[in-house]
Amino acid sequence: MFAAAMNVEMRHLRAFASVATHRSFTVASRELMITQPALTRTVQQLETALQVRLIARNARPVELTDVGRRFLERVRRVLAEFDRAMAATCDERELRLGFHWVLPHPWAQLAIDRFEQATAATVTVSRCADLVGDLALGEVDVVVLRGARALPGLTAVRLFDEGRVAAVSARSPFAARHELHWNELADRPLVVNTVYGSTRPEQWDPQHRPQRVVTCSNFDEWLELVRADHGVGAVPTPVARPGLHPGVTLIPLVGAPSVPVQLVYRPHQPDPLLRRFLDAAVWAAHEQPVPAVMPSGRSYQSA
């Protein structure tokens, strides 16, 4: 077995670790920028070289064998050491994380702490007006993006889903409510941030879809429109905190679709630091408590 294992290359370990981390050949193939058949062959070559089965056949989602789980722990240590060695040869010891507004909590701190402890590098957090544009220009290395959308030329790793709460003006008849149903928001004009908002009219069933939409291009404008009672909106639960904005009331929301949270990055430049951050991000997504949901029967209003 030792002689066969000598044929194992880093690409084999990367392929196996990516499939095992994402529990998906499809997602791993996008991350590694190779076709799914090529990825499958690479993992099979690794199993042949080691003369063991690492991944259970025909399991959906992907499941590791007992040997595969033990091997993954060792592979991650090998890749971490290799990435640290590669990163040590670079002058840049910083990873730039972009976000639009309100980083997910406690995921962000868990991921950053694990990454910095593992690499001795630092994470610089930047609030970006144009996440995709800044990523394309190389102003940031990876961004946190809420919502499911197609981003050609970029790779997205889905981390977890967040709940939603309603946002209404303190002058709105809804402001006195202890709870709202998702479909009730469709009875009022809907305020939509067309750039990075996570709420769109098409998320409602056709028979309950909002008939009027008030658009804006950033979060501050969105808040002002809601405050002025030009319409209602919905935001992810991490935003549901007292003091969000004077005159805006946040109310528990029932029946709303969840908000997917993704990490998005450019796949064409494999970076050891970026790979280590992705590992830390996925680990933190699994380790964090369930994202907080605003308790039913409570509304928050800034005085």
Side-chain angles (χ1 to χ4, degrees), residues 95-99 103 107-108 111-112 123-128 131 139-144 263 277:
L95 183 129
R96 299 159 299 172
L97 174 65
F99 73 104
L103 277 169
W107 167 85
I112 291 171
V123 174
T124 300
V125 179
S126 300
R127 184 171 179 177
C128 304
L131 287 173
E139 297 294 331
V140 290
D141 301 304
V142 61
V143 300
V144 177
L263 274 184
F277 184 77

Side-chain angles (χ1 to χ4, degrees), residues 5-234:
M6 294 297 290
N7 297 320
V8 173
E9 302 172 7
M10 293 300 296
R11 64 186 179 90
H12 295 107
L13 302 184
R14 293 274 189 212
F16 169 68
S18 183
V19 171
T21 297
H22 297 293
R23 295 293 193 266
S24 167
F25 279 87
T26 302
V27 176
S29 66
R30 287 200 298 265
E31 179 184 65
L32 299 172
M33 294 193 69
I34 61 176
T35 66
Q36 196 166 329
L39 176 60
T40 300
R41 287 194 300 272
T42 302
V43 174
Q44 289 174 344
Q45 288 168 359
L46 176 62
E47 292 179 318
T48 299
L50 298 177
Q51 299 178 18
V52 295
R53 179 158 290 178
L54 302 171
I55 295 176
R57 295 296 181 260
N58 302 319
R60 296 292 184 275
V62 168
E63 292 291 340
L64 301 183
T65 63
D66 290 340
V67 174
R69 283 189 286 272
R70 293 193 295 271
F71 185 62
L72 177 62
E73 295 176 5
R74 294 178 172 86
V75 166
R76 281 177 170 161
R77 289 198 291 269
V78 170
L79 292 176
E81 287 298 325
F82 178 77
D83 288 345
R84 279 195 289 269
M86 293 293 291
T89 66
C90 303
D91 294 331
E92 186 69 339
R93 297 290 294 159
E94 176 183 83
L95 183 129
R96 299 159 299 172
L97 174 65
F99 73 104
H100 188 56
W101 49 270
V102 188
L103 277 169
H105 176 78
W107 167 85
Q109 198 58 54
L110 288 171
I112 291 171
D113 287 348
R114 186 175 179 89
F115 168 80
E116 291 184 342
Q117 291 169 9
T119 64
T122 59
V123 174
T124 300
V125 179
S126 300
R127 184 171 179 177
C128 304
D130 183 359
L131 287 173
V132 175
D134 288 353
L135 189 61
L137 292 172
E139 297 294 331
V140 290
D141 301 304
V142 61
V143 300
V144 177
L145 190 64
R146 287 181 168 93
R149 65 189 72 184
L151 297 169
L154 299 175
T155 297
V157 176
R158 187 162 178 163
L159 298 172
F160 48 82
D161 291 346
E162 295 175 332
R164 297 177 196 258
V165 299
V168 304
S169 169
R171 307 201 305 262
S172 168
F174 284 153
R177 296 279 296 276
H178 294 291
E179 186 176 88
L180 287 171
H181 193 278
W182 174 248
N183 286 339
E184 291 184 271
L185 297 186
D187 296 333
R188 297 278 296 151
L190 180 69
V191 183
V192 173
N193 177 351
T194 58
V195 180
Y196 290 116
S198 57
T199 304
R200 297 283 192 275
E202 56 268 22
Q203 292 167 331
W204 276 264
D205 293 332
Q207 63 270 30
H208 295 118
R209 194 159 290 171
Q211 298 301 304
R212 184 183 168 204
V213 175
V214 181
T215 61
C216 60
S217 59
N218 61 63
F219 186 54
D220 292 332
E221 291 176 2
W222 184 90
L223 281 172
E224 289 296 338
L225 288 167
V226 172
R227 181 200 62 79
D229 203 20
H230 286 244
V232 298

Side-chain angles (χ1 to χ4, degrees), residues 221-261:
E221 291 176 2
W222 184 90
L223 281 172
E224 289 296 338
L225 288 167
V226 172
R227 181 200 62 79
D229 203 20
H230 286 244
V232 298
V235 291
T237 50
V239 181
R241 63 188 188 277
L244 174 66
H245 190 284
V248 173
T249 300
L250 300 172
I251 304 172
L253 195 54
V254 176
S258 59
V259 182
V261 179

